[in-house]
Amino acid sequence: SGIDSTYNSYLFVFTDIYLHQDADKLTFQTGATYNTATTTAPVNALHTEDNGTATLDYVGSIAWSNQTTMVEISRGQSNAADACIAGILYLYNPSSTSFLKQFSWNFSMNEAASPSALQLVGSGSINTTSAITQVRFEAQSNNMTATIQMYGVT
């Protein structure tokens, strides 16, 4: 995927991510075989369109603790024609062979469970001292339309 020691960090920009299955989730994974243990700490802010609910919560249901499965970086996304996910994910110092790799994300979306605006932010560590040279993003259903751009940051 073009990740190497040229840059200290990599920024992934997600624009108009459309998940074709209702309540689907955007996920990612890294590592040579895409099974690198990962730990995350996600938080979301939600406000329903009818003004009935406004919350700020730690999202324990998608907080990973040293798990090797795909990492959820969104909540259940609506597949309404006008719904999409947009945001960023930073991967810090992926070429280091001395330290665990850190990452953070910030996404805005429309939740499927109730018409609402939702912001999901989080951070995590990829629990390996091996260099990270590839990243995979996918919908849990494997059915999405997406624009994802990668930028090297010095």
Side-chain angles (χ1 to χ4, degrees):
S1 62
I3 297 174
D4 59 27
S5 61
T6 303
Y7 299 101
N8 297 331
S9 300
Y10 286 85
L11 168 65
F12 297 89
V13 177
F14 299 76
T15 307
D16 299 332
I17 307 296
Y18 182 75
L19 305 180
H20 294 274
Q21 181 177 316
D22 200 40
D24 206 356
K25 297 173 183 173
L26 181 63
T27 64
F28 96 106
Q29 184 54 278
T30 65
T33 57
Y34 294 116
N35 64 350
T36 306
T38 305
T39 300
T40 63
V43 175
N44 74 215
L46 175 134
H47 194 175
T48 57
E49 289 178 2
D50 66 5
N51 204 27
T53 303
T55 63
L56 177 63
D57 296 308
Y58 171 74
V59 190
S61 63
I62 64 170
W64 283 185
S65 179
N66 210 34
Q67 294 188 26
T68 58
T69 57
M70 296 293 288
V71 175
E72 293 179 22
I73 53 176
S74 81
R75 300 295 305 269
Q77 170 67 23
S78 171
N79 71 340
D82 61 351
C84 71
I85 300 172
I88 58 173
L89 183 140
Y90 278 99
L91 176 60
Y92 305 101
N93 203 14
S95 298
S96 170
T97 56
S98 298
F99 301 105
L100 302 181
K101 311 312 173 282
Q102 306 303 314
F103 63 96
S104 60
W105 73 93
N106 186 340
F107 286 97
S108 296
M109 65 201 72
N110 308 95
E111 190 176 49
S114 60
S116 59
L118 183 132
Q119 181 181 23
L120 184 65
V121 297
S123 63
S125 61
I126 302 163
N127 302 331
T128 182
T129 55
S130 298
I132 299 295
T133 58
Q134 56 188 14
V135 176
R136 175 174 62 183
F137 298 100
E138 65 181 39
Q140 280 184 331
S141 69
N142 292 317
N143 191 6
M144 73 177 179
T145 303
T147 300
I148 303 171
Q149 298 166 302
M150 181 178 79
Y151 298 95
V153 180
T154 56

